[in-house]
Amino acid sequence: MGMYCEVVSERIAKHITQGDRNKYDFKRNKGGVVIATFDDEEHANEFIRFMRECYRRLFGRRVISSTAPIEINSDTSRDLEELENDIIRSRYAGFPPSSHIQNPYVKICWSCGERPAEIEDPDSLSSNMTSTHRHVCAPCGLRFRIFKDYKEIMERKLSGPFNKIPSGVDDIAKHGPNGYVAYMLSDGNSFGSFVREIKDMNSYTAFNNALPKTVSDSLFSVLDEFDSTNTDITAPMLPLMTGGDDLLILLPAKWGISMAFDFVSRFEEKAKKLIDCSNSKQMLTMSAGVVICKQTLSHKIVYTVGESVIKRAKQTSKEHGVCSSVAFQILAGSKRGSETSYNRLMPGGVCGGFKKTELENVLAYRKRLEKLPSGLRRRLKHHLFSDSAHAETERERILELISERDDSMAEEVKKLLKDEKQILFAMLEGWDYLESHKGAIIK
């Protein structure tokens, strides 16, 4: 998304002004936000019209834009506030109704499953589709064709021993034995209020250039923690969407939570350099939601689930004064959902959100209790939040069985049962997916 904003907006502005770079300028054109200035009001109106139509064709949906250009005066802060209010009005006004194709014989896009298919077998859909005919809509066909360029851009940002971006989900799933992968969604905390306090147009430009680099450096530097003796190796990370602070990244299941935690920590540190762009002195932080699931689950379904996971992380951030946070959900095995006794404290099975220190504890306890038998873990999780006398007796019995194996391990569990039940649950729920990526060797 971030790449589209920069490339497409520049191309449209150049077309409208017949290539005269002196007639337009961009204050922001990265990360899903475009703010452009033009010498001519007619050019500004044409830019709005072309952007709407281009994004409709590119993504199969419309873009929220200002209803009319805003004239810039000497008081740029007031101009920016007026522009923000106009965008808000446009967002809540919605779009005019449009008709939908009802013909049952129309081919539906193989990729998104939403729009009528218009293209057969795009060149870059897959290398092994020579005998299989699949149909996609125009937006999906265009995205498939430009994925090669996107992949090359991502590969230039790689850190550590890696020089290749994975080709697909299979390359990520091979890092685990059970065919599971981890999706990470991220979103900045209180970025809106930070941007509204940006001082002037020059600061907008500075923030526009600095934010994507800060996010990118924070994300790809996570790979520095891996180790490898190979010289030609594929990174354990596949960026699916990179738009400013909004990311959708595919990671190996066993390292997904650890890598997400490392990413938000790195961003919080690197983002300190952006404070001077705004009158707001609030620290910029990041929330991340991790969904662990089978590799066969579609990106769209995972993204829908992930929205509720990251919502929990952002809620934690607000409750604790805007801090970085992580939440995760495991879509693995047979889940009983609302029937579980812990559902009232962990709605929907979402663990967290956790502040950084809390997630550090989850990862640390998982490492210290790695010899806890699987049978006792399952029994303990089942009876963890129940208030019944039977559950209390069962918990005591489990502690006795653990103590027979290791007294110190039993004391650790007893302490968690008393003071940190949510951390204990998160550790038990995500047991197989709480491996630290730091020092891991990629073969």
Side-chain angles (χ1 to χ4, degrees):
M1 181 70 175
M3 182 182 71
Y4 299 127
C5 291
E6 186 175 3
V7 173
V8 173
S9 61
E10 184 73 44
R11 188 177 299 171
I12 291 175
K14 185 176 181 180
H15 169 75
I16 291 170
T17 59
Q18 297 181 347
D20 189 345
R21 193 63 178 80
N22 295 321
K23 291 184 177 180
Y24 70 92
D25 189 26
F26 286 104
K27 304 306 176 185
R28 287 193 71 185
N29 66 337
K30 299 176 182 178
V33 177
V34 177
I35 298 178
T37 57
F38 293 87
D39 291 343
D40 192 319
E41 183 178 351
E42 184 178 345
H43 287 162
N45 279 310
E46 281 291 283
F47 181 77
I48 292 173
R49 185 175 69 83
F50 273 99
M51 284 290 285
R52 287 171 178 165
E53 179 61 17
C54 184
Y55 272 69
R56 184 191 69 80
R57 296 186 183 188
L58 187 63
F59 295 106
R61 61 194 66 187
R62 298 174 183 177
V63 62
I64 301 291
S65 64
S66 60
T67 55
I70 303 297
E71 186 174 351
I72 298 176
N73 299 305
S74 57
D75 188 357
T76 55
S77 61
R78 183 170 295 181
D79 296 331
L80 292 171
E81 184 178 349
E82 184 181 350
L83 181 63
E84 175 72 19
N85 291 334
D86 186 54
I87 290 290
I88 292 173
R89 286 192 294 269
S90 179
R91 180 180 291 116
Y92 284 101
F95 300 113
S98 59
S99 60
H100 295 273
I101 295 177
Q102 302 294 330
N103 188 337
Y105 299 104
V106 171
K107 291 186 176 69
I108 300 300
C109 175
W110 159 79
S111 177
C112 68
E114 294 179 339
R115 293 178 289 273
E118 302 176 28
I119 303 171
E120 183 176 321
D121 281 345
D123 294 338
S124 57
L125 257 178
S126 176
S127 60
N128 60 355
M129 283 177 51
T130 54
S131 61
T132 303
H133 292 284
R134 292 177 177 172
H135 300 78
V136 298
C137 63
C140 287
L142 180 58
R143 289 198 292 273
F144 280 124
R145 290 192 183 95
I146 64 178
F147 179 74
K148 181 179 179 181
D149 294 335
Y150 174 75
K151 187 177 178 182
E152 289 176 355
I153 292 172
M154 293 298 105
E155 286 179 342
R156 290 197 292 270
K157 298 180 179 182
L158 286 175
S159 294
F162 307 106
N163 52 29
K164 289 183 184 177
I165 287 289
S167 298
V169 182
D170 291 347
D171 287 343
I172 297 294
K174 70 181 182 182
H175 291 288
N178 54 5
Y180 281 83
V181 294
Y183 288 82
M184 182 192 79
L185 287 77
S186 77
D187 191 17
N189 299 318
S190 300
F191 270 42
S193 59
F194 183 89
V195 170
R196 283 191 291 273
E197 293 291 326
I198 288 180
K199 296 173 270 190
D200 50 43
M201 287 297 185
N202 290 333
S203 297
Y204 249 103
T205 303
F207 183 73
N208 174 60
N209 294 329
L211 178 62
K213 187 177 187 309
T214 301
V215 174
S216 179
D217 290 348
S218 303
L219 176 66
F220 287 100
S221 63
V222 171
L223 297 174
D224 293 338
E225 299 293 341
F226 287 94
D227 190 18
S228 174
T229 56
N230 294 340
T231 57
D232 184 24
I233 195 164
T234 302
M237 175 190 292
L238 175 58
L240 298 173
M241 182 181 76
T242 53
D245 57 313
D246 293 316
L247 302 177
L248 177 61
I249 311 295
L250 190 58
L251 305 167
K254 60 181 178 179
W255 299 314
I257 297 170
S258 174
M259 293 174 74
F261 169 69
D262 196 13
F263 163 64
V264 300
S265 300
R266 289 169 183 266
F267 175 82
E268 188 173 304
E269 182 62 31
K270 294 178 184 293
K272 292 177 180 178
K273 298 178 181 178
L274 304 178
I275 291 294
D276 291 339
C277 294
S278 173
N279 289 326
S280 171
K281 296 305 177 183
Q282 182 172 280
M283 185 171 62
L284 288 173
T285 60
M286 186 74 70
S287 290
V290 180
V291 179
I292 294 172
C293 60
K294 273 286 189 183
Q295 67 184 91
T296 51
L297 203 60
S298 75
H299 298 332
K300 183 178 178 180
I301 292 175
V302 176
Y303 190 84
T304 301
V305 174
E307 286 182 319
S308 63
V309 179
I310 198 169
K311 183 178 179 181
R312 184 74 60 80
K314 291 182 72 67
Q315 181 180 341
T316 297
S317 173
K318 291 179 181 178
E319 290 172 352
H320 294 85
V322 189
C323 64
S324 294
S325 61
V326 177
F328 65 89
Q329 183 167 7
I330 314 295
L331 302 180
S334 57
K335 301 291 182 184
R336 289 173 290 176
S338 60
E339 296 178 9
T340 56
S341 59
Y342 52 77
N343 194 63
R344 57 191 173 87
L345 292 178
M346 299 288 180
V350 178
C351 297
F354 293 113
K355 296 182 296 180
K356 290 196 303 178
T357 52
E358 292 172 331
L359 192 56
E360 281 177 341
N361 286 337
V362 173
L363 293 167
Y365 277 115
R366 167 61 182 88
K367 188 173 182 178
R368 292 206 297 267
L369 299 175
E370 61 183 350
K371 294 183 180 179
L372 190 62
S374 58
L376 294 180
R377 294 201 311 266
R378 287 193 295 269
R379 288 171 62 181
L380 184 59
K381 188 172 74 168
H382 181 71
H383 296 284
L384 192 57
F385 291 123
S386 175
D387 297 326
S388 70
H390 170 71
E392 178 62 30
T393 303
E394 183 65 18
R395 287 194 292 265
E396 291 177 359
R397 176 57 181 157
I398 292 170
L399 285 173
E400 290 176 4
L401 292 173
I402 297 174
S403 182
E404 290 175 2
R405 293 172 173 268
D406 189 325
D407 285 335
S408 61
M409 187 163 58
E411 285 299 318
E412 294 267 26
V413 175
K414 185 177 181 180
K415 180 182 176 182
L416 288 171
L417 275 170
K418 182 181 178 182
D419 302 322
E420 300 286 359
K421 277 190 176 182
Q422 296 204 14
I423 286 179
L424 177 57
F425 172 77
M427 182 194 69
L428 296 172
E429 176 75 354
W431 186 269
D432 295 325
Y433 311 102
L434 289 169
E435 185 175 330
S436 176
H437 69 291
K438 296 184 178 181
I441 299 175
I442 303 294
K443 299 178 180 180

